[in-house]
Amino acid sequence: MEDAGPAPSPRADQKVARSDRSVPLHVLHLDHPARRAGTDGLPLLSNTRGRFGGEPSGGWGRLTAMNHSSASQEPEEVALLTGPRAASVLSAALAPAGQRLASWEVHSVHHRPGAGVSVGYTAVVVAPNGRSTTEYLCATTARLSNPHAPGLTRVAPTGGDGPAVHVWRHPADPELPGLVVACTPSLLSARIGTQVKATMVAYRPTRRAVVRATFPDETTAYAKVLRPSQAPSFAQRHRLLTASGVPAPEVLREDPDGLVLLSTGRGVALSGLLSQGMSVSRSERVFNGLISLLDALPASAMQLPAHAAWSERARHYAHAAATVLPEHAVRARAVAEGVEQLMAASDAGRPVPVHGDFYEANVLMEGEAVTSLLDVDSLGPGYRVDDLACLLGHVSVLDHLAPASYPKLRPILETWTRMAERQVDPVSLRARCAGVVLSLVAGARREDGGPWRPDAEGRLARAETWLAQGREIQARRGAH
């Protein structure tokens, strides 16, 4: 699908940068899908990773039915599935097979506000015969459409004090039946009809996965695994774009189990240009090329279902931000309230076809030319201001993520902001930029144990800055 290596990005349910790191398929070791990487090798964001070992503590072990997670419970669910009590959950899931948990490590944390928490673990599991193997286990508090899927175990706390959790061994994801094929080279080769090597690129439990298929001649394609109900609309969006002449990966095949095979997009992530720095004139040419790309989105996309813009979910993302930065919960809620107020008081413009997740990791370039548009899941009707805010909001936090990688970013951001506000209402633009950046705060939490709080706090401050700028412009209007 994408041959873009590392490009940075942030987000709570995360999207943002693209990870093309080679990893084993059944014992995952990949970047959080929300931070993918680009071919330029720029650093990515990652989620919390903790290291734990030893025997589990008590309190979890009764198999039961699933309880739906509510947003108010999710901070406790994050703590449960990433803290020491997670050992009890995993041990209870392994016990029916006579297996024992020897050690475990949090690999990735996926928190979708209001929709539950999912965590991936690398674990050493001891079989009844004493043999140890390293496995990738997943646990979720989200509601599942198939709670009786093969290989799925339901675990709840003794006494019922806490959420029920579903646990499974990768790749037996209960919502992604095509994942087993995508992660098994022999099955994927049989599906495609030729021998391929398979490499996991990204995985969000219960939601989606991307596997790179490498052919004998070293060319590649990408298998995107979705819920079977979502795959047809995803493939339709790609076909709409390619039929309209918009550069996007082509659909090579589409299967009922949710596996969609895409051609590889040409070029390198736009983040590479941002890292190198650009003159004002080049910045203007590149931005105009991005506008031309958005202008080329087909009118038929207006008939597709609409997706909520990131800023329209500001309260959800304030909750996610408060989960990782509880000491700044009041600030996060204030940003969300301010975003809603400014959006209500400003002009979004007329509805047009939008990409829905338009930022630097989803645009591939050759020189100054756009050569591929990626991740078109949200293509549909919307407002141009939201696509521009998504771009500017993401760009505005890159130097919080990796200051050394983006030393020349600010002049580009200033040029692009100036050009964007010629096209859309400046107040609406900045309010929505604040909402986008707020959605990225929780994504600063890292998997590798490295420091992440300065990045998260920097993102929250950036959201406040966008909001303050919007308010200042609005106030100047009121004075006249």
Side-chain angles (χ1 to χ4, degrees):
M1 183 176 72
E2 311 82 43
D3 224 350
S9 283
R11 189 160 291 159
D13 72 319
Q14 282 8 66
K15 288 195 173 237
V16 181
R18 189 163 320 283
S19 170
D20 214 17
R21 182 178 302 176
S22 297
V23 291
L25 291 175
H26 291 280
V27 181
L28 294 181
H29 186 63
L30 40 67
D31 293 315
H32 186 291
R35 335 295 162 234
R36 304 168 218 162
T39 49
D40 43 31
L42 299 175
L44 308 183
L45 296 168
S46 49
N47 245 1
T48 317
R49 170 180 280 179
R51 192 176 292 274
F52 310 94
E55 294 302 315
S57 58
W60 286 74
R62 180 167 58 85
L63 302 187
T64 187
M66 177 76 169
N67 294 322
H68 181 50
S69 157
S70 70
S72 63
Q73 297 169 330
E74 285 165 8
E76 291 74 25
E77 293 171 7
V78 171
L80 167 67
L81 295 182
T82 61
R85 289 187 297 160
S88 297
V89 176
L90 299 179
S91 294
L94 295 170
Q99 297 176 319
R100 180 173 59 85
L101 182 69
S103 64
W104 59 284
E105 177 183 4
V106 173
H107 171 262
S108 63
V109 182
H110 310 259
H111 175 201
R112 296 179 60 217
V117 177
S118 298
V119 177
Y121 310 86
T122 51
V124 176
V125 177
V126 181
N129 63 6
R131 181 169 176 260
S132 296
T133 58
T134 300
E135 301 192 24
Y136 193 80
L137 305 178
C138 295
T140 187
T141 62
R143 184 188 300 274
L144 301 179
S145 65
N146 186 14
H148 304 294
L152 189 63
T153 302
R154 296 178 297 280
V155 181
T158 303
D161 183 18
V165 179
H166 280 108
V167 181
W168 68 92
R169 287 178 171 83
H170 176 77
D173 190 305
E175 300 290 344
L176 304 177
L179 190 60
V180 173
V181 171
C183 289
T184 308
S186 61
L187 296 179
L188 185 59
S189 297
R191 173 75 59 93
I192 295 174
T194 186
Q195 191 67 34
V196 295
K197 292 185 289 186
T199 305
M200 180 66 77
V201 173
Y203 176 44
R204 280 191 256 176
T206 77
R207 301 206 53 214
R208 64 186 59 127
V210 179
V211 173
R212 185 175 62 248
T214 304
F215 298 95
D217 63 358
E218 297 303 316
T219 59
T220 58
Y222 284 80
K224 188 154 187 175
V225 183
L226 301 163
R227 296 182 180 188
S229 62
Q230 297 172 343
S233 62
F234 171 76
Q236 178 192 13
R237 284 170 165 82
H238 271 274
R239 292 185 177 111
L240 277 178
L241 291 179
T242 54
S244 302
V246 176
E250 296 182 3
V251 177
L252 303 179
R253 67 175 294 140
E254 175 190 353
D255 293 294
D257 59 4
L259 191 153
V260 180
L261 189 68
L262 300 173
S263 65
T264 296
R266 293 189 301 112
V268 297
L270 174 59
S271 53
L273 286 178
L274 298 173
S275 178
Q276 296 165 15
M278 292 183 273
S279 65
V280 171
S281 60
R282 193 177 198 204
S283 296
E284 291 174 342
R285 291 194 300 272
V286 170
F287 187 82
N288 284 331
L290 297 175
I291 295 300
S292 296
L293 176 66
L294 293 176
D295 287 342
L297 296 178
S300 54
M302 295 295 289
Q303 308 306 314
L304 296 171
H307 289 258
W310 299 108
S311 55
E312 292 174 353
R313 293 172 284 180
R315 287 182 184 266
H316 288 292
Y317 291 114
H319 167 73
T323 299
V324 300
L325 293 175
E327 68 275 25
H328 297 304
V330 173
R331 291 173 60 193
R333 286 195 293 270
V335 171
E337 291 170 3
V339 167
E340 291 178 346
Q341 291 166 0
L342 279 190
M343 286 174 60
S346 57
D347 181 15
R350 63 182 179 86
V352 296
V354 296
H355 178 274
D357 197 19
F358 192 66
Y359 72 99
E360 74 287 342
N362 283 339
V363 180
L364 302 188
M365 310 285 293
E366 288 183 354
E368 297 178 8
V370 176
T371 52
S372 196
L373 182 62
L374 309 179
D375 281 4
V376 303
D377 311 49
S378 298
L379 177 70
Y383 299 101
R384 174 64 59 86
V385 67
D386 284 313
D387 271 350
L388 295 178
C390 189
L391 174 66
L392 297 179
H394 279 81
V395 170
S396 73
V397 301
L398 292 180
D399 53 1
H400 286 297
L401 164 63
S405 295
Y406 296 97
K408 304 173 182 178
L409 187 70
R410 289 291 135 185
I412 301 171
L413 179 61
E414 292 170 4
T415 298
W416 285 7
T417 302
R418 171 174 49 82
M419 297 180 72
E421 63 186 11
R422 293 174 185 166
Q423 298 212 358
V424 297
D425 180 0
V427 174
S428 182
L429 176 68
R430 284 168 173 80
R432 292 162 193 266
C433 284
V436 168
V437 174
L438 181 63
S439 79
L440 305 179
V441 172
R445 193 171 174 179
R446 294 178 56 169
E447 300 168 4
D448 60 6
W452 55 268
R453 282 186 175 274
D455 184 14
E457 291 171 349
R459 296 180 195 197
L460 181 57
R462 175 58 55 187
E464 291 171 327
T465 298
W466 282 115
L467 187 62
Q469 290 175 1
R471 284 173 167 158
E472 183 179 359
I473 296 172
Q474 186 187 44
R476 288 202 301 267
R477 288 176 176 172
H480 297 83

